[in-house]
Amino acid sequence: MAKPQDNRKGVYIQSYGCQMNVYDSQRMIDVLAPHGYKSVENAEDADLVVLNTCHIREKATEKVYSEIGRLKILKDAKKKTGGNLKVAVAGCVAQAEGAEIMNRAPIVEIVVGPQAYHHLPELLAREARTNGEKLDTSFDVISKFDALGTSRENTGATAFLSVQEGCDKFCSFCVVPYTRGPEYSRPSGKILDEAKSLIDKGTKEIVLLGQNVNAYHGGGDMSFAQLIAAIADLGGVERIRYTTSHPCDMGADLIAAHGQIEKLMPFLHLPVQSGSNNILKAMNRKHTRESYVDIIESVRKYRPDIAIASDFIVGFPGETDDDFSDTLSLIEGIGYASAYSFKYSKRPGTPAGAMMYQIAEEVKNERLQELQALLTKQQTIFNVQKIGTNLPVLITQKSRKNGRLFGKSPWLQSVNLHGEDALIGQIVDVKIVGATAQSLAAERVSVLENA
Ligand code: SAH
Ligand code: SF4
Ligand code: F3S
């Protein structure tokens, strides 16, 4: 019998920026599926391309405009052969520069902000009628989550789950409070339903997401630590992680949870940004170097082996050599397992963008190199310590390049090993046989025993 014809349209979503955007991209596919769209692997096969954009640094924003240029060529080529390609811009650049995008790049037919993407089908329908509003950057986060529902498609062994959105912290360098809007916590019942849906589809690890995930408070009825405990109690889930946290929201119960909830993985991403109290104050971070160190020490009391990760900004306006040395000495004292580090990027509309004493590019470059050299050294030390130990790895995929399996250790280290495809989605016991700053090499324990 002939296969029924698949008349669905192809949608390709290119995601930039943080994990919240990756989650949102998956949910956009869920929103479009009932309207006759299926996900495709590349822009060439698509009828609709959505760029889910990031505004955090200047470079991230520039990428969007160069990608729009590439899509224009593709759209023109499709037109010549009688085809059509619609282009939509979503995410944080859409929120910040929506109208400007539509003026600057006429091939963009739809602009949708991060709190409005559940309106995508409606915007597409309006676009097809060639009139009506095609830009939606409204901020109704509650109706977004209501519209999304809690049933999830199969996302693999590890899945993101957004529990909190937006930020009220207003660090002076950051656009997030403007692009994602005010802090909002999803009701815990909805989150638990979504977690169950993921577990039913075979997810072993759930990564709880929020711009400020540990500010989660339910509707005032549940702390973030209680939410983690409730998810652990669902059964079926093997590993729980969360990202990203703010030091001011590291409550005592969350710190203790790292010693009490076995499924909560020994990894804490707690951005500090700078080790200088002067700079932290100018950044409006509302924590000090000392209060940050106290938190790390308390977490280590509950979970001595915990891997600590952070984000750093070098070259914030007014950062002196002494301020920068304070950052290096903080890093020396803590010992990081991994980190992201960035040159300060001036963002429109933020208080730091208007500050005096912006730092010269070459100074930022030098500082970034020195900081990254120290962090790479620490990361290597952390990874090399694991050589010779046995540990459980969640296998998530197979590398297309070398055919090896790829997974994550409890400390979020990347692990490579040889093994059969059937192991994908499983937690496997391995012995670590090699390490670099970036990853671990492993052999399966059962294979070693049989040798
Ligand atoms: N909500 C998270 C992080 C959000 S953005 C938190 O509070 O930690 C991710 C990282 O980007 C930040 O931690 C910061 O290190 C970096 N970042 C944000 N704005 C930046 C800017 N203007 N220039 C350079 N880096 C920036
Ligand atoms: Fe940005 Fe600060 Fe909010 Fe993080 S806490 S999202 S860095 S304003
Ligand atoms: Fe970028 Fe928006 Fe995330 S600015 S980092 S995509 S919240």
Side-chain angles (χ1 to χ4, degrees):
M1 216 168 72
K3 261 196 188 166
Q5 213 184 333
D6 187 351
N7 287 328
R8 286 177 299 170
K9 290 184 173 162
V11 52
Y12 174 68
I13 306 190
Q14 170 89 42
S15 211
Y16 303 87
C18 62
Q19 291 103 327
M20 311 265 324
N21 263 11
V22 176
Y23 174 86
D24 285 348
S25 295
Q26 288 165 356
R27 301 313 311 266
M28 279 184 224
I29 304 230
D30 294 348
V31 168
L32 289 169
H35 298 272
Y37 284 88
K38 65 172 178 191
S39 171
V40 294
E41 295 285 308
N42 57 62
E44 284 70 20
D45 297 336
D47 301 282
L48 168 67
V49 172
V50 182
L51 302 178
N52 196 12
T53 61
C54 174
H55 195 53
I56 202 84
R57 283 166 291 273
E58 202 179 348
K59 271 212 181 108
T61 307
E62 280 167 4
K63 267 191 209 157
V64 179
Y65 287 102
S66 59
E67 189 57 26
I68 292 173
R70 208 180 70 84
L71 288 174
K72 181 172 185 323
I73 299 170
L74 186 63
K75 190 179 166 99
D76 289 346
K78 283 208 172 191
K79 218 181 204 164
K80 277 197 190 127
T81 56
N84 189 17
L85 174 69
K86 279 188 201 306
V87 177
V89 176
C92 292
V93 181
Q95 189 66 41
E97 301 181 357
E100 198 188 324
I101 296 171
M102 293 204 117
N103 288 335
R104 241 177 97 174
I107 70 149
V108 175
E109 282 119 340
I110 288 163
V111 170
V112 63
Q115 311 305 2
Y117 62 75
H118 55 293
H119 295 150
L120 253 178
E122 197 184 318
L123 290 165
L124 282 162
R126 278 191 203 159
E127 203 281 326
R129 291 202 299 268
T130 66
N131 55 18
E133 189 56 81
K134 293 158 215 157
L135 180 147
D136 190 342
T137 48
S138 53
F139 254 148
D140 192 354
V141 69
I142 300 179
S143 83
K144 162 180 151 178
F145 280 115
D146 281 349
L148 283 177
T150 54
S151 167
R152 292 283 298 274
E153 287 312 306
N154 191 355
T155 59
T158 177
F160 291 136
L161 202 178
S162 279
V163 304
Q164 182 277 334
E165 276 258 17
C167 180
D168 294 340
K169 296 280 190 291
F170 291 94
C171 299
S172 61
F173 51 81
C174 184
V175 292
V176 171
Y178 313 98
T179 61
R180 291 276 172 168
E183 250 173 37
Y184 168 75
S185 295
R186 284 178 81 182
S188 55
K190 294 255 175 154
I191 295 168
L192 293 173
D193 285 347
E194 194 169 321
K196 276 187 222 151
S197 161
L198 288 167
I199 295 164
D200 287 346
K201 300 210 163 93
T203 295
K204 296 269 186 339
E205 174 180 88
I206 294 182
V207 186
L208 303 175
L209 295 183
Q211 265 89 27
N212 231 312
V213 72
N214 58 341
Y216 180 85
H217 55 66
D221 61 339
M222 197 181 237
S223 73
F224 186 54
Q226 287 168 331
L227 178 70
I228 294 173
I231 293 174
D233 284 346
L234 285 178
V237 63
E238 309 281 344
R239 294 180 166 194
I240 301 170
R241 301 182 185 278
Y242 62 94
T243 199
T244 302
S245 303
H246 192 283
C248 294
D249 295 314
M250 275 315 284
D253 61 346
L254 180 56
I255 292 174
H258 279 279
Q260 292 161 348
I261 303 175
E262 216 181 304
K263 291 177 179 174
L264 183 58
M265 290 292 100
F267 182 92
L268 175 62
H269 184 195
L270 194 64
V272 65
Q273 316 297 354
S274 167
S276 152
N277 281 337
N278 289 337
I279 295 297
L280 289 172
K281 198 157 178 221
M283 285 177 163
N284 193 31
R285 284 290 292 179
K286 301 191 184 80
H287 62 83
T288 60
R289 174 191 176 108
E290 292 74 24
S291 66
Y292 179 85
V293 170
D294 281 351
I295 294 166
I296 303 294
E297 283 175 0
S298 313
V299 179
R300 280 182 166 153
K301 272 192 199 121
Y302 283 97
R303 189 75 209 228
D305 67 331
I306 196 160
I308 306 291
S310 182
D311 295 353
F312 297 93
I313 294 177
V314 300
F316 185 82
E319 187 187 65
T320 62
D321 286 342
D322 282 351
D323 292 321
F324 178 60
S325 298
D326 284 349
T327 301
L328 294 178
S329 73
L330 176 84
I331 296 172
E332 293 278 8
I334 297 224
Y336 285 98
S338 67
Y340 296 97
S341 45
F342 312 99
K343 285 187 279 184
Y344 168 71
S345 170
K346 202 169 157 178
R347 306 308 292 130
T350 59
M355 282 179 188
M356 306 244 288
Y357 309 114
Q358 299 284 329
I359 303 295
E361 198 58 21
E362 61 266 28
V363 176
K364 287 188 200 170
N365 284 334
E366 277 168 27
R367 288 182 185 166
L368 188 67
Q369 264 188 14
E370 196 175 344
L371 182 107
Q372 289 185 337
L374 176 59
L375 290 165
T376 305
K377 194 173 100 190
Q378 293 195 337
Q379 207 165 310
T380 311
I381 292 171
F382 188 83
N383 287 349
V384 165
Q385 279 170 359
K386 301 284 185 255
I387 294 179
T389 62
N390 286 5
L391 51 90
V393 170
L394 173 60
I395 310 285
T396 52
Q397 66 208 52
K398 184 177 177 164
S399 158
R400 275 195 210 156
K401 257 203 292 192
N402 57 22
R404 279 186 299 175
L405 298 179
F406 174 87
K408 292 285 184 183
S409 80
W411 302 274
L412 207 62
Q413 294 148 298
S414 297
V415 184
N416 298 296
L417 70 153
H418 292 285
E420 60 272 29
D421 291 5
L423 295 178
I424 296 171
Q426 310 287 323
I427 294 178
V428 173
D429 278 326
V430 305
K431 185 182 178 85
I432 301 304
V433 295
T436 65
Q438 274 72 43
S439 64
L440 302 176
E443 307 275 357
R444 280 191 70 197
V445 171
S446 57
V447 173
L448 288 175
E449 278 165 359
N450 295 334

